[in-house]
Amino acid sequence: EAQVTQNPRYLITVTGKKLTVTCSQNMNHEYMSWYRQDPGLGLRQIYYSMNVEVTDKGDVPEGYKVSRKEKRNFPLILESPSPNQTSLYFCASSLYWTNEKLFFGSGTQLSVL
Amino acid sequence: RKEVEQDPGPFNVPEGATVAFNCTYSNSASQSFFWYRQDCRKEPKLLMSVYSSGNEDGRFTAQLNRASQYISLLIRDSKLSDSATYLCVVVSGGYQKVTFGTGTKLQVIP
């Protein structure tokens, strides 16, 4: 089944403890991206990647890192999480980076205490 | 001014009603437009793309007005299952810049 897999679904952590949210797609998509969703603010783009080893900042990249060493994986890394990073996170992919349908993962609810 | 603006609603409509949502965008160079549907805190799913010529998919009709910089979504004969939040998405520079509206909540009432 074609899908974008995000893990974990829920995560509670403490300030400053490094964490990684994984994202994997099995559709051979070139484009992958991360979003966070907060009440009243909608989904905001954190980082995106147009292909392996090609990543760039979105609208809200501060406090996040990403890597794209393989086409299928695009992990989101929080080196030192803070409470303002408590949010619902979505990973998404599309076949190419030119205006294609986005396929979303099921989301990760992160709480930083 | 927000790059993409939507009326947050909620729109409470009876079954069978016709309801319309608008979304305005500020970047005149925007290239692509979409409507996504999101059920409570689940992943967004593509509802339809939006073209200048207008497009229809069953009970759903989407329209783009580049001159006035807005897109619209019309839902006819509303069903209970249409209850969700509808997200307007505007894309520029390929997928380098993807901007979501904050969503319009629709509640269809029996």
Side-chain angles (χ1 to χ4, degrees):
Chain A
E1 181 190 352
Q3 60 186 0
V4 178
T5 303
Q6 252 182 268
N7 281 299
R9 182 71 181 91
Y10 300 95
L11 180 58
I12 301 174
T13 189
V14 295
T15 299
K17 186 175 181 181
K18 180 179 178 179
L19 65 92
T20 299
V21 184
T22 62
C23 175
S24 180
Q25 49 89 8
N26 62 0
M27 297 170 279
N28 202 38
H29 284 176
E30 290 190 358
Y31 179 91
M32 298 185 76
S33 57
W34 276 102
Y35 303 86
R36 60 177 290 173
Q37 185 172 30
D38 302 289
L41 296 176
L43 278 92
R44 293 178 292 168
Q45 191 177 45
I46 303 171
Y47 269 95
Y48 62 90
S49 169
M50 291 189 285
N51 213 323
V52 175
E53 303 292 2
V54 180
T55 64
D56 210 342
K57 297 177 181 178
D59 292 323
V60 288
E62 295 78 20
Y64 304 95
K65 284 175 59 176
V66 293
S67 68
R68 187 94 183 270
K69 294 186 173 61
E70 307 165 281
K71 199 169 188 178
R72 62 184 293 126
N73 295 322
F74 191 46
L76 180 69
I77 302 155
L78 284 72
E79 295 269 2
S80 182
S82 62
N84 65 12
Q85 292 178 299
T86 292
S87 187
L88 177 59
Y89 291 85
F90 288 104
C91 177
S93 72
S94 68
L95 184 57
Y96 300 114
W97 55 278
T98 50
N99 308 324
E100 295 275 345
K101 169 186 174 181
L102 283 169
F103 291 80
F104 282 85
S106 54
T108 296
Q109 178 62 58
L110 172 65
S111 296
V112 183
L113 306 177
Chain B
R1 182 185 172 188
K2 287 183 181 177
E3 290 187 55
V4 178
E5 291 201 67
Q6 291 183 254
D7 182 341
F11 284 58
N12 297 314
V13 303
E15 268 187 292
T18 295
V19 61
F21 308 136
N22 280 340
C23 167
T24 59
Y25 62 95
S26 60
N27 183 358
S28 60
S30 297
Q31 297 168 300
S32 300
F33 309 87
F34 304 88
W35 283 103
Y36 278 74
R37 171 195 168 125
Q38 185 178 28
D39 295 287
C40 187
R41 299 188 71 72
K42 296 198 172 179
E43 72 273 22
K45 293 183 179 176
L46 180 67
L47 182 64
M48 56 200 307
S49 304
V50 189
Y51 306 114
S52 296
S53 55
N55 48 307
E56 189 173 310
D57 182 4
R59 297 181 293 109
F60 299 84
T61 301
Q63 195 80 41
L64 165 64
N65 185 318
R66 283 193 183 271
S68 300
Q69 294 182 205
Y70 76 85
I71 68 173
S72 63
L73 176 68
L74 183 77
I75 305 175
R76 289 181 298 278
D77 188 22
S78 299
K79 311 289 185 194
L80 294 176
S81 57
D82 293 334
S83 297
T85 296
Y86 291 83
L87 306 173
C88 164
V89 179
V90 176
V91 179
S92 57
Y95 264 112
Q96 293 182 52
K97 178 72 172 173
V98 181
T99 306
F100 284 77
T102 52
T104 297
K105 186 171 183 179
L106 172 65
Q107 185 69 46
V108 181
I109 304 161

